[in-house]
C-alpha cells in the first residue's frame, strides 16, 4: 500500500505504483462452464512469491454458490482513484459473471490469502433496475461508487450500458447512462476525468457469441466495430467512432496511465489491429491504426486465412511499453510506444497457439516470414491453448499470462485446453531495451485441480495493477 499516513487505497501516481512491493499472490477466476464438469466456478488464489514454500501453487479456492456463472473479469471497490480518501480501503473484489449476470462481492481484506464471499447481487437486480445483463468490466469511481459495463439486455441482445453499485452496500443504484442512450454494443471501458471523457468498446451480442464464434454473425451485424465516447460529467454519449472493418471487435481499451494524457490504445480482435485514439485540436476524439498483424494463409483450419486475434492488451505504468496477445497465432508482443504514433516491436515470444509446427495446421504463406513455432513445453507439460489474459508486475519486469479466453470460444478453438485445463505462465521482461523471455521454472497447471481441469482467466493482485487502477 501507499507509504504515507492518512492516504486512501493505491498510489499517488503511476510512477509511485512502479515502486510498490512485489506481487506475492494473484487472484484468478476459474471457469467450469462448457468443460463437461458440473461444478461451480471459483476464485483461485495463487502464490507467486519465489521465496514461499507454496510458490506456483493454488493455495485457496473459493467456489461460487451457483453453476455455470462464467466468471470473467474482476475489479475493485476502491483503487487509486480514491487515493485522497483515507476512509476508503481496497478490500472487496467485484466479480461479475458474464453469462449468469450475477455479481459476487468477495472479501479479500479480512484474509487476503483466503477470500470469502461477502454479498451476491442477483441477475434480477440488473434486469429490473437497469434493463441490462452480461456484466463485464468493473471500475471503482472517485465518488466511491462502482461502475460495471454490460454487454446485453436480459434477452441476450446487444446493449452497451453501465450499472452503478453503491460502494458501501453494493446495492444496484441505477444506470450510469441516460435512458435510451446505451451504446449498440458493450464490453470494456476506461475513464479520464481531466479530459471529462469515458470511452467504451464493443464485443458482440451475447446470444451470438455465447457458444462460440460464427464468422457469418459479423456480416449479420452482431459484432461491434466502434469506440463510444461519453461525457464523464453529464453521462451523455458524444460520439460513436467507427473503426471500420479493420477495427472490428474492439476489445480492451487502455488510456495512457498519466492522468493528463488525452490518448490511448485499443486492441481490435477480428483483424488483429491496434488503434491509437486521441483528442483532437477541436476537442473531439479520433482514432488511427498504428499496428497491424497480418493474417497467415493456412490449410487444415476453419478458414483459409488465420488472423492473430488480438485479445488482451495492456500498457506499462510508465507508459513506455504496450503488450498484447495474439490468441490464435500464439504469441505475445511488446512494443515501445515512446513515439505514440509509431509503436516499435521490441519483444515477441510464442507460447503455444494454433500454428505449432507439429500440429494439424500448415502455414502456406506468412507475410512476416516467421517459421511455424515449436510447441511450448514447460516442466514437461505441453501447453494446450495460447497466451490470452495478461498482467504486468508493477515494476514492469514480469508479465503473467493465462491461456483461456472464454469457455465457449476455448471449446471451439482449443478443445485440448478443455480436456487438459489452462495454465498460467510468466515471462521475464527487459525493461531497458525491450525483450521477452519465458521463465521456464514457472508454471501453474490448472489441469491438476481437485475437481478436474479448469479454465483460469483474468489476473489480479490485491494491491492493484496496471489494468484496474485509474489515476485522477
Amino acid at each position: 500500500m501507499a507509504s504515507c499516513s492518512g492516504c486512501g487505497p493505491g498510489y499517488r501516481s503511476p510512477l509511485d505504483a512502479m515502486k510498490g512491493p512485489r506481487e506475492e499472490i494473484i487472484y484468478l477466476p476459474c471457469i467450469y462452464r462448457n468443460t463437461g464438469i458440473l461444478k461451480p466456478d471459483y476464485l483461485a488464489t495463487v502464490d507467486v512469491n519465489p521465496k514461499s514454500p507454496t510458490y506456483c501453487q493454488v493455495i485457496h479456492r473459493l467456489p461460487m454458490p451457483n453453476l455455470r456463472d462464467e466468471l470473467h473479469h474482476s475489479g475493485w471497490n476502491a483503487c487509486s482513484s480514491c487515493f485522497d480518501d483515507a476512509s476508503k480501503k481496497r478490500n472487496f473484489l467485484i466479480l461479475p459473471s458474464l453469462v449468469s449476470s450475477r455479481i459476487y462481492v468477495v472479501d479479500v481484506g479480512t484474509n487476503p490469502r483466503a477470500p470469502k464471499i461477502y454479498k451476491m447481487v442477483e441477475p434480477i437486480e440488473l434486469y429490473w433496475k437497469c434493463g441490462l445483463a452480461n456484466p463485464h468490466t468493473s471500475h471503482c469511481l472517485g465518488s466511491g461508487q462502482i461502475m460495471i459495463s454490460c454487454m446485453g439486455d436480459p434477452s441476450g441482445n446487444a446493449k452497451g450500458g453501465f450499472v452503478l453499485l453503491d460502494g458501501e452496500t453494493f446495492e444496484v443504484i441505477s444506470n450510469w447512462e441516460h435512458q435510451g442512450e446505451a451504446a449498440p454494443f458493450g464490453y470494456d471501458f476506461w475513464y479520464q476525468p481531466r479530459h471529462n471523457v469515458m470511452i467504451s468498446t464493443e464485443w458482440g451480442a451475447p446470444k451470438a457469441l455465447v457458444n462460440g464464434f460464427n464468422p457469418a454473425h459479423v456480416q449479420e451485424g452482431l459484432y461491434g466495430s466502434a469506440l463510444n465516447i461519453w461525457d464523464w460529467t453529464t453521462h451523455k454519449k458524444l460520439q460513436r467512432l467507427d473503426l471500420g472493418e479493420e477495427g472490428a471487435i474492439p476489445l480492451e481499451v487502455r488510456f495512457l496511465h498519466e492522468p493528463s494524457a488525452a490518448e490511448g490504445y485499443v486492441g481490435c480482435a477480428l483483424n488483429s489491429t491496434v488503434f491509437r485514439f486521441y483528442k483532437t485540436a477541436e476537442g473531439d476524439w479520433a482514432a488511427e491504426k498504428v499496428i497491424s498483424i497480418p493474417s497467415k494463409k493456412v490449410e487444415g483450419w476453419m478458414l483459409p486465412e488465420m488472423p492473430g486475434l488480438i485479445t488482451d492488451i495492456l500498457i506499462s505504468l510508465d507508459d513506455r511499453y504496450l503488450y498484447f496477445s495474439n490468441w490464435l497465432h500464439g504469441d505475445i508482443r511488446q512494443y515501445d510506444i515512446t513515439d505514440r504514433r509509431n509503436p516499435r516491436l521490441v519483444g515477441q515470444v510464442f507460447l503455444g497457439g494454433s500454428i505449432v509446427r507439429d500440429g494439424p495446421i500448415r502455414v502456406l504463406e506468412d507475410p512476416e516470414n516467421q517459421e511455424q513455432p515449436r510447441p511450448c513445453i514447460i516442466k514437461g507439460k505441453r501447453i494446450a491453448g495460447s497466451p490470452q489474459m495478461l498482467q504486468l508486475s508493477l515494476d514492469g519486469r514480469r508479465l503473467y499470462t493465462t491461456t483461456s479466453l472464454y469457455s465457449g470460444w476455448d471449446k471451439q478453438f482449443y478443445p485440448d485446453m478443455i480436456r487438459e485445463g489452462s495454465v498460467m505462465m510468466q515471462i521475464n521482461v527487459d525493461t531497458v531495451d525491450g525483450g521477452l523471455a519465458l521463465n521456464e521454472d514457472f508454471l501453474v497447471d490448472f489441469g491438476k485441480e481437485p475437481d478436474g481441469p479448469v479454465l483460469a482467466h483474468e489476473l489480479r493482485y490485491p494491491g492493484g495493477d496496471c489494468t484496474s487502477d485509474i489515476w485522477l
Side-chain angles (χ1 to χ4, degrees), residues 334-349:
Q334 175 194 27
Y335 286 79
D336 185 319
I337 53 169
T338 315
D339 178 350
R340 307 293 186 209
R341 300 188 67 182
N342 296 289
R344 185 168 57 88
L345 181 65
V346 291
Q348 183 182 23
V349 60

Side-chain angles (χ1 to χ4, degrees), residues 146-208:
I146 295 154
M147 183 161 147
I148 304 175
S149 59
C150 291
M151 289 178 51
D153 68 13
S155 301
N157 304 304
K159 185 180 182 183
F162 306 88
V163 170
L164 285 175
L165 297 189
D166 184 286
E168 303 288 331
T169 65
F170 305 106
E171 295 288 328
V172 174
I173 302 169
S174 65
N175 297 68
W176 178 87
E177 78 282 2
H178 297 298
Q179 191 168 0
E181 281 207 5
F185 297 91
Y187 184 69
D188 194 23
F189 73 101
W190 197 283
Y191 60 88
Q192 202 80 318
R194 292 197 198 177
H195 296 282
N196 193 34
V197 71
M198 187 262 281
I199 297 183
S200 65
T201 61
E202 303 185 334
W203 186 2
K207 65 184 178 186

Side-chain angles (χ1 to χ4, degrees), residues 33-34 70 72 98-99 134-136 150-152 155-159 185-187 202-218 220-224 249-251 269 405-413:
R33 187 179 158 268
N34 270 316
E70 187 92 34
H72 197 62
L98 194 59
V99 171
N134 311 102
H136 187 271
C150 291
M151 289 178 51
S155 301
N157 304 304
K159 185 180 182 183
F185 297 91
Y187 184 69
E202 303 185 334
W203 186 2
K207 65 184 178 186
L209 58 84
V210 67
N211 290 317
F213 176 67
N214 179 351
H217 286 157
V218 178
E220 290 166 23
L222 296 175
Y223 283 89
I249 314 185
L251 295 180
L405 188 151
Y406 166 68
S407 70
W409 291 29
D410 294 351
K411 189 175 181 178
Q412 178 180 2
F413 291 104

Side-chain angles (χ1 to χ4, degrees), residues 367-440:
E368 294 184 306
N369 288 320
Q370 295 185 330
E371 289 185 358
Q372 289 192 233
R374 290 188 175 87
C376 179
I377 298 168
I378 307 174
K379 294 187 163 184
K381 181 183 171 77
R382 181 186 175 117
I383 304 307
S386 174
Q388 204 283 113
M389 289 309 295
L390 304 173
Q391 192 54 265
L392 191 63
S393 61
L394 296 178
D395 63 10
R397 292 176 185 168
R398 291 168 301 286
L399 186 67
Y400 296 91
T401 183
T402 54
T403 47
S404 165
L405 188 151
Y406 166 68
S407 70
W409 291 29
D410 294 351
K411 189 175 181 178
Q412 178 180 2
F413 291 104
Y414 290 112
D416 287 356
M417 184 165 59
I418 296 286
R419 291 189 293 271
E420 297 174 28
S422 67
V423 299
M424 174 177 161
M425 299 174 275
Q426 188 195 79
I427 296 110
N428 294 321
V429 180
D430 183 336
T431 56
V432 179
D433 302 314
L436 302 175
L438 176 67
N439 177 355
E440 296 190 12

Side-chain angles (χ1 to χ4, degrees), residues 11 24 38 90 94 139 178 248 298 329 368 373 389 418 459:
Y11 300 89
E24 294 188 2
L38 205 58
R90 191 196 309 255
I94 313 301
H139 278 301
H178 297 298
V298 294
H329 290 174
E368 294 184 306
M389 289 309 295
I418 296 286
L459 308 115

Side-chain angles (χ1 to χ4, degrees), residues 86 103 108 116 147 187 200 260 263 320 328 338 359 374 387 403:
I103 299 169
V108 294
K116 54 182 191 263
M147 183 161 147
Y187 184 69
S200 65
S260 62
E263 60 184 322
R320 182 172 171 195
L328 288 179
T338 315
R374 290 188 175 87
T403 47

